[in-house]
């Protein structure tokens, strides 16, 4: 088995405050892109909604106020420097942002190739939170209010370096996300996230936030024999703490490298893509061992029902 190496970087971001301009945020991203390049990395994963603060924590009714967080073109004048740097340095990247397309709002990521061109786009499918504001609650999670469900599926793109797929934040907790990409022989799944340390809609002990984050990434990587590169937005944003824990996970399910801080931080790892082959040929040889004839309920049924048909 010959080794195929891919040098991945993950660029975690510290908090982005509402007053931070796009120029200032893009300057931070550029600095990390250059840092990744200086270490030899050829692909970088940035977080979900990387260009702004995590605005679904606020209830807003004025469309102009909401749309200030969205991009109507990609690249636009303020994000073009990222594309120029990708081409100049030969470094591809994943970038999450809020997309306004034909009047429809999506939570989106793009994959930009090492030539600075857009390889592909993904729109978040598993949208968490609520559509209705909780009265009297200062901190909301209103992703269902601000984003439509993505309409692009879970594609995988064959780049010259690797087969790369994307997902966004809450998608990483769902096994279907990885399996649909695993069935396309994905080699690297890139994922950006914004995970508040305290989830206002649900009382979960703090220590489980990081545990479930890592558990999901590690299970997805192992069960689909792929690498996972996960970049979070961390630290205290507008008074709200967000988990860090950005990392690169191997097809063994092991975390190979992980951030230390809750600030802007680049981590990198030289991934052996051939590490997937052992798993694909043996324990997770899909063609030999999967039994889709017994999996119909996964796509025909949405919510769980008790065996007697009760809810
Ligand atoms: N931005 C997110 O999708 N956040 C979610 C919520 C549930 C905290 C997450 O899964 O991390």
């Amino acid at each position: 088995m010959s080794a195929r190496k891919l040098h991945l970087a993950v660029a975690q971001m510290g908090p982005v405050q509402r007053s931070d301009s796009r120029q200032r945020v893009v300057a931070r991203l550029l600095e990390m892109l250059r840092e990744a390049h200086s270490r030899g990395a050829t692909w970088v994963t940035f977080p979900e909604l990387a260009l702004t603060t995590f605005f679904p924590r606020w209830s807003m009714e004025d469309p102009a106020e909401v749309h200030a967080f969205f991009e109507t073109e990609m690249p636009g004048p303020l994000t073009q420097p990222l594309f120029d740097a990708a081409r100049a340095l030969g470094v591809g990247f994943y970038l999450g942002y809020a997309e306004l397309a034909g009047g429809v709002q999506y939570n989106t990521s793009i994959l930009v190739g090492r030539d600075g061109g857009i390889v592909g786009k993904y729109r978040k499918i598993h949208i968490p939170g609520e559509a209705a504001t909780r009265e009297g609650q200062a901190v909301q999670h209103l992703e269902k209010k601000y984003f439509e469900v993505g309409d692009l599926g879970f594609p995988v793109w064959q780049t010259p370096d690797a087969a790369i797929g994307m997902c966004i934040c809450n998608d990483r907790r769902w096994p279907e996300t990885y399996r649909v990409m695993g069935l396309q022989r994905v080699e690297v799944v890139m994922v950006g996230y914004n995970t508040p340390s305290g989830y206002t809609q649900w009382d979960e002990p703090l220590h489980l936030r990081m545990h479930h984050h890592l558990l999901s990434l590690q299970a997805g990587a192992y069960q689909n024999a792929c690498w996972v590169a996960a970049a979070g937005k961390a630290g205290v944003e507008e008074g709200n703490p967000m988990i860090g824990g950005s990392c690169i996970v191997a097809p063994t399910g092991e975390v190979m490298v992980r951030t230390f801080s809750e600030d802007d931080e680049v981590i990198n790892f030289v991934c052996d893509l051939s590490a997937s082959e052992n798993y694909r040929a043996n324990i997770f040889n899909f063609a030999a061992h999967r039994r889709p004839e017994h999996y119909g309920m996964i796509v025909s049924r949405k919510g769980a029902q008790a065996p007697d048909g009760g809810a």
Side-chain angles (χ1 to χ4, degrees):
M1 195 189 305
S2 61
R4 277 176 60 223
K5 299 291 172 70
L6 182 72
H7 197 154
L8 286 181
V10 160
Q12 175 175 284
M13 298 181 77
V16 176
Q17 310 303 347
R18 191 170 189 167
S19 58
D20 291 338
S21 66
R22 293 283 203 288
Q23 288 96 326
R24 189 168 166 185
V25 173
V26 168
R28 286 166 60 182
L29 297 174
L30 280 170
E31 191 178 329
M32 291 199 284
L33 194 77
R34 292 191 194 104
E35 172 67 24
H37 173 256
S38 75
R39 297 186 199 175
T42 50
W43 288 87
V44 180
T45 304
F46 292 119
E48 172 193 35
L49 300 174
L51 300 173
T52 66
T53 197
F54 186 68
F55 62 89
R57 69 170 67 92
W58 294 310
S59 181
M60 297 174 282
E61 299 304 331
D62 177 4
E65 186 182 10
V66 174
H67 289 165
F69 294 100
F70 283 73
E71 311 302 313
T72 52
E73 51 181 344
M74 189 56 70
L78 299 178
T79 46
Q80 183 66 48
L82 285 167
F83 291 71
D84 295 342
R87 191 176 57 251
L89 302 175
V91 177
F93 65 84
Y94 163 116
L95 178 73
Y97 64 99
E99 178 193 16
L100 180 61
V104 184
Q105 298 168 190
Y106 295 105
N107 189 338
T108 296
S109 60
I110 44 165
L111 189 64
V112 174
R114 296 172 62 184
D115 60 357
I118 293 180
V119 174
K121 178 185 283 189
Y122 168 74
R123 289 171 173 154
K124 186 173 182 176
I125 286 176
H126 298 99
I127 309 276
E130 296 167 321
T133 302
R134 287 191 180 206
E135 292 309 324
Q137 195 169 289
V139 183
Q140 311 277 333
H141 195 110
L142 291 169
E143 284 197 65
K144 281 189 163 69
K145 176 182 174 78
Y146 297 126
F147 302 120
E148 295 301 317
V149 173
D151 57 353
L152 302 175
F154 292 104
V156 172
W157 292 271
Q158 186 62 59
T159 75
D161 297 328
I164 302 177
M166 297 188 276
C167 65
I168 301 178
C169 196
N170 190 256
D171 287 320
R172 76 194 188 286
R173 303 185 193 275
W174 298 87
E176 294 87 347
T177 297
Y178 304 90
R179 184 47 54 91
V180 172
M181 290 192 266
L183 286 166
Q184 300 168 77
R185 290 216 189 162
V186 71
E187 293 179 299
V188 179
V189 172
M190 297 184 177
V191 50
Y193 60 94
N194 281 269
T195 299
S197 303
Y199 188 41
T200 51
Q201 273 68 5
W202 176 35
D203 186 18
E204 184 187 41
L206 183 57
H207 72 280
L208 293 178
R209 302 258 89 191
M210 185 59 72
H211 173 67
H212 290 149
H213 159 68
L214 295 173
L215 181 69
S216 301
L217 300 176
Q218 292 180 257
Y222 168 61
Q223 292 169 346
N224 295 280
C226 62
W227 292 83
V228 175
K233 186 125 64 57
V236 181
E237 238 190 38
E238 297 289 342
N240 302 282
M242 324 270 285
I243 67 165
S246 303
C247 58
I248 296 175
V249 183
T252 57
E254 295 166 290
V255 175
M256 306 312 291
V257 60
R258 179 174 160 178
T259 49
F260 178 74
S261 74
E262 292 189 340
D263 216 326
D264 288 8
E265 180 179 346
V266 176
I267 53 172
N268 58 299
F269 191 77
V270 179
C271 306
D272 179 359
L273 297 182
S274 49
S276 300
E277 290 167 17
N278 189 26
Y279 291 89
R280 284 209 189 111
N282 294 290
I283 193 79
F284 291 121
N285 181 335
F286 288 176
H289 307 308
R290 287 186 77 247
R291 294 290 170 221
E293 65 273 26
H294 293 290
Y295 305 157
M297 203 181 286
I298 287 179
V299 287
S300 65
R301 183 178 286 185
K302 188 177 178 196
Q305 289 174 19
D308 64 2

